[in-house]
Amino acid sequence: MSINRDEALIKYLGSELPVRIGEVLSGDERTIIRDLAGLCMETLNKSCNALGIECSGDEASNAWRVIERVIELSGEFVLARYMAVVVGSEFIASRASPVIISMLSRDLLTCLEKVRVIVLKMVEMGKSWREAYGLGD
């Protein structure tokens, strides 16, 4: 699988997504976790073509395939844990205490930033994160 340069994705990751994240962070805790999860799903789905993944199913399945590919290319296994929060965000927002929601929202923010930086650099360079930074296999 190759990594393709995608100018629209580069613009989205480089300038549009940070603004949208800032807008989301102005909401209440339950809205923040839902909206961050939505941005994470959106970001992963927008990354399908650039990462050589056929995304034709539902949004959550597509996002999961993309996150697995990002993990494979970067070695950032913690992203799988964050993705579990994305998938469970509706449940968490409706049942968890504000303290838990706040903690998991910070995890989603970390996830979004990791995905944003990793995918952006890979798409700009046309190489896996591991290859670009000499991390081996």
Side-chain angles (χ1 to χ4, degrees), residues 23-71:
E23 291 168 353
V24 164
L25 295 177
S26 66
D28 65 80
E29 293 108 4
R30 295 184 194 286
T31 302
I32 289 172
I33 196 166
R34 285 183 179 122
D35 291 349
L36 286 175
L39 278 178
C40 195
M41 291 277 238
E42 176 182 296
T43 300
L44 292 168
N45 276 273
K46 283 181 177 276
S47 302
C48 287
N49 292 334
L51 297 179
I53 298 171
E54 177 64 38
C55 288
S56 58
D58 67 276
E59 197 173 61
S61 296
N62 292 339
W64 193 266
R65 282 194 302 277
V66 173
I67 204 74
E68 285 183 336
R69 179 74 171 135
V70 172
I71 291 166

Side-chain angles (χ1 to χ4, degrees), residues 37 41 60-61 63-64 82-92 108:
M41 291 277 238
S61 296
W64 193 266
Y82 294 146
M83 191 62 195
V85 176
V86 170
V87 173
S89 64
E90 281 298 322
F91 180 88
I92 294 164
L108 288 183

Side-chain angles (χ1 to χ4, degrees), residues 5 97 113 121 127 136:
R5 187 164 178 90
S97 71
E113 188 58 16
K121 290 301 177 192
K127 299 178 184 180

